[in-house]
Amino acid sequence: MLSPSLAQEIAGDTSAVIGFNVLITDAEGMVIGSGDSSRVGTFHEASVEVIRTQEPAAHSASQAHRLRGVRPGVTLPLVTDGRAVGTVGITGTPAQVRRFGLLVKRQTEILLRESVMLRSRLLAERAAEKLFADIASYDPQVVEGDFLLFRAAELGFDLRLPRVAVAFEVTVAEPGGRRHGGAPTRDMALVRSELLRTVREVFADPQDIVATTAPGRLGVLHRLRADRATASLTADCRRVADLIAAQNSLTARAGIGGPADSVGALHDSYQDACDALRLTARWAGGSAGRPTTRAAGDGLVHPIADLRIQQLLAAVGQPARGRLLAVTAADLRVQPDWTVLRDTIIAWCEGGFNLVRAAEALHVHRNTVVYRMQKIEQFTSRSLRDHRATMALYLACLSDELGGAPKLPARPGEVADDQPSRPGRTG
């Protein structure tokens, strides 16, 4: 229980402070730490009786001479949970070192308990990460769900309780608000423990399973309670993002999966949460041409419930999305203000075909929306009041956001224009 490395560190530091040699033995009386390194690995006979009785002992020069590996001084038991796990000895005249004995004993026991707690916490974290990874990659053809239920129960988690998966993505912001792309940086490894602590501060239910899933990625299998509204989960995710944003120029986004009450459903919920992050990656932080007030999230938190259509479109593959985009919106897509028109169509549909809500989502005047809609109808030869045709156009616009077709080159000299066209102008 008392590691030699910890014992040597404690003995060396304490010896330097009090000016007398301190040695530490294990439960067998073997010296595993000493200010005098030559004594490490030797047998300290006096420790055997001290461990047996759990009572301190003092030895004069003549008494120490009769015991193997013992020098004058005091020896005290190190006790944790009522069991002696070793001893701590201080070399010197008993009358001189006795006054240090209780202090050194208590300090060593405190450090020992902290070490045990740290090791226990690290082991628990690793076990939780392994459980999380097995749920994330769960395949009923390879592993039985009951086996994961049993493993989780050993760790104190009941996977049959209603839960929802949350995936957090943490990135390091560059100067000017830009973010690193590509492979995660070393900074993520350095702040791993701090990120885990931050997430656990918010998701503090004993049944919440929190783990790192990859560099810059954390996951939560959050227990759902009947007395808490769904909105509270979104608020918790925003709180985590805000806390992380206050640390070392980090930014965080969250994807929220669907409710689950079985191993298989938890697997799907976590995959949904990851899909929510992936589908909204291009909008993170309010990327150009994309409103951040849409139903899919506020730039920080993205529930999969608001992204089911995008998820379905992503599943059909890029070739199918490209064909839909080419057939439905080809004439619009060649316009210089295509992204503006695309966002207008999306806001119109997601606003329930309501002019006021669409204008609010786009942060423009309603007359601007009217003009854009007229322009769209001019190029598509279809009324945006024809909801069936408009929904097809809406799906095409979402497909473009997902990468439905190659980008077309901009025409030289063309710029986006939201103003009504002058007579004889077609734009």
Side-chain angles (χ1 to χ4, degrees):
M1 184 179 294
L2 182 58
S3 70
S5 59
L6 177 62
Q8 182 58 43
E9 182 179 355
I10 294 173
D13 291 347
T14 309
S15 298
V17 170
I18 68 175
F20 295 93
N21 184 60
V22 173
L23 65 80
I24 297 174
T25 75
D26 61 16
E28 306 299 324
M30 297 300 297
V31 178
I32 57 175
S34 175
D36 178 1
S37 59
S38 66
R39 300 188 67 182
V40 175
T42 63
F43 179 65
H44 190 262
E45 187 176 355
S47 293
V48 175
E49 184 66 13
V50 171
I51 291 171
R52 186 184 69 80
T53 63
Q54 295 192 19
E55 294 291 338
H59 302 90
S60 63
S62 60
Q63 291 171 324
H65 184 70
R66 293 193 292 268
L67 297 172
R68 180 181 169 190
V70 179
R71 295 179 184 176
V74 295
T75 305
L76 304 97
L78 296 175
V79 180
T80 61
D81 298 326
R83 184 168 66 92
V85 297
T87 67
V88 57
I90 308 175
T91 303
T93 305
Q96 291 180 306
V97 299
R98 186 176 284 111
R99 58 195 173 102
F100 296 110
L102 187 58
L103 178 62
V104 173
K105 166 185 163 66
R106 288 179 176 174
Q107 183 63 28
T108 303
E109 288 175 342
I110 289 172
L111 293 173
L112 176 57
R113 283 194 295 270
E114 289 178 348
S115 174
V116 171
M117 290 174 61
L118 177 61
R119 178 175 175 80
S120 177
R121 185 164 62 249
L122 290 175
L123 290 175
E125 285 181 3
R126 291 171 184 168
E129 287 180 0
K130 182 64 168 62
L131 176 65
F132 204 115
D134 288 344
I135 292 173
S137 61
Y138 173 68
D139 182 347
Q141 302 299 320
V142 178
V143 179
E144 291 187 5
D146 288 344
F147 174 69
L148 292 182
L149 285 173
F150 174 76
R151 276 185 48 204
E154 286 188 318
L155 298 175
F157 302 120
D158 185 354
L159 296 185
R160 297 168 299 181
L161 295 174
R163 296 174 184 272
V164 64
V166 181
F168 288 98
E169 178 189 67
V170 183
T171 54
V172 181
E174 293 180 351
R178 295 175 300 165
R179 291 144 46 117
H180 285 298
T185 66
R186 287 189 306 169
D187 299 284
M188 288 291 88
L190 295 175
V191 299
R192 174 183 176 277
S193 296
E194 184 66 18
L195 292 175
L196 277 172
R197 185 189 64 79
T198 299
V199 175
R200 288 190 177 118
E201 282 182 0
V202 178
F203 292 93
D205 189 296
Q207 284 294 322
D208 287 346
I209 305 175
V210 182
T212 54
T213 58
R217 288 269 185 156
L218 299 96
V220 182
L221 300 181
H222 171 59
R223 178 187 179 183
L224 291 174
R225 290 185 175 274
D227 58 348
R228 296 196 71 196
T230 304
S232 66
L233 173 59
T234 302
D236 286 344
C237 291
R238 287 197 184 101
R239 184 182 168 203
V240 169
D242 290 341
L243 290 172
I244 290 176
Q247 304 173 21
N248 303 319
S249 301
L250 301 178
T251 60
R253 298 189 305 122
I256 302 177
D261 59 2
S262 68
V263 173
L266 275 175
H267 166 80
D268 293 341
S269 180
Y270 180 66
Q271 297 306 316
D272 282 347
C274 292
D275 281 351
L277 285 177
R278 178 173 56 84
L279 292 167
T280 57
R282 295 180 62 187
W283 317 334
S287 57
R290 181 43 135 181
T292 59
T293 55
R294 60 170 300 164
D298 61 358
L300 297 179
V301 182
H302 307 280
I304 193 62
D306 296 332
L307 294 160
R308 290 298 186 186
I309 296 177
Q310 289 91 336
Q311 188 182 36
L312 181 62
L313 286 171
V316 302
Q318 185 173 352
R321 297 197 304 271
R323 287 193 297 273
L324 173 65
L325 185 58
V327 170
T328 308
D331 291 336
L332 282 179
R333 196 165 179 267
V334 297
Q335 300 306 310
D337 56 351
W338 156 239
T339 57
V340 171
L341 300 178
R342 180 193 66 194
D343 292 341
T344 301
I345 294 169
I346 292 174
W348 171 249
C349 293
E350 294 183 354
F353 310 104
N354 181 281
L355 190 60
V356 174
R357 286 197 290 267
E360 289 175 349
L362 294 166
H363 306 294
V364 298
H365 192 275
R366 56 180 293 170
N367 289 344
T368 301
V369 178
V370 171
Y371 163 67
R372 293 181 186 176
M373 291 175 63
Q374 291 173 345
K375 189 172 183 179
I376 292 166
E377 290 175 339
Q378 174 187 348
F379 283 106
T380 61
S381 301
R382 291 184 178 181
S383 170
L384 290 179
R385 301 288 178 179
D386 179 352
H387 293 168
R388 183 174 179 178
T390 302
M391 287 306 297
L393 192 56
Y394 170 66
L395 295 178
C397 290
L398 294 183
S399 295
D400 183 70
E401 285 191 324
L402 293 171
K407 291 186 179 296
L408 296 176
R411 296 176 180 178
E414 290 185 333
V415 295
D417 189 341
D418 283 338
Q419 302 305 314
S421 58
R422 295 188 294 271
R425 184 178 175 185
T426 61

